[in-house]
Amino acid sequence: MLSLKDGYPYGSESTRMVQGILFWMPSRRRFIPYSWLICSEINESETEMHFHYTHALVTVTGTHLGYIHEMVVRYELYALREMTPLASAKANEPTVRRIEITEKASD
C-alpha cells in the first residue's frame, strides 16, 4: 500500500530509480510509467509543470515546484498528490494545488 507523509504532496525514493508516478487526485488515482515520459518542463516562477507523455499531458500547478521537478528528472518521484487548499504548507515547501491529465487525441 502506497503512503505519503501527512502534509506532503509528493513521495520520492532516492536509493533507486522508480518505475513511474502515481498521480493522486481527489476523484481518482492514475499511474503513468516513466518509460512513457517524453519530456518535462517547469515555468520560471516554479508554479506550473508539464509532463509530456506519449498519450497524455499532465499539468501540475502549485508553489515551489522546482524540487519536485528535480526528482522527476532523476526518476525518483513515485507519487504526486493534489492537496486541499486548507492543507497548510511550510514556507518554501512544495505545494500541489491542482493536477490535470489531458489525453492526447490519436492521429
Side-chain angles (χ1 to χ4, degrees):
M1 179 76 171
L2 176 71
S3 65
L4 298 175
K5 287 194 264 182
D6 286 338
Y8 284 90
Y10 60 89
S12 67
E13 175 61 59
S14 62
T15 59
R16 63 180 172 82
M17 287 178 31
V18 296
Q19 300 298 313
I21 303 171
L22 175 65
F23 294 97
W24 195 326
M25 298 157 282
S27 61
R28 65 184 172 138
R29 295 178 190 165
R30 177 144 179 216
F31 176 81
I32 304 178
Y34 272 115
S35 61
W36 294 357
L37 183 64
I38 297 169
C39 70
S40 65
E41 56 191 7
I42 187 168
N43 68 355
E44 194 172 306
S45 60
E46 297 184 354
T47 58
E48 187 172 278
M49 290 188 300
H50 296 281
F51 302 104
H52 298 270
Y53 289 99
T54 56
H55 67 289
L57 172 66
V58 178
T59 302
V60 177
T61 56
T63 58
H64 307 291
L65 298 174
Y67 179 71
I68 293 173
H69 187 257
E70 288 300 315
M71 285 189 286
V72 171
V73 171
R74 294 189 309 262
Y75 302 105
E76 295 174 355
L77 186 70
Y78 69 78
L80 195 56
R81 174 174 55 188
E82 191 174 302
M83 303 295 286
T84 64
L86 299 177
S88 60
K90 297 175 187 169
N92 297 324
E93 285 287 323
T95 60
V96 175
R97 296 294 177 220
R98 180 141 173 79
I99 298 171
E100 183 177 330
I101 300 175
T102 306
E103 300 296 326
K104 290 182 180 176
S106 55
D107 297 330

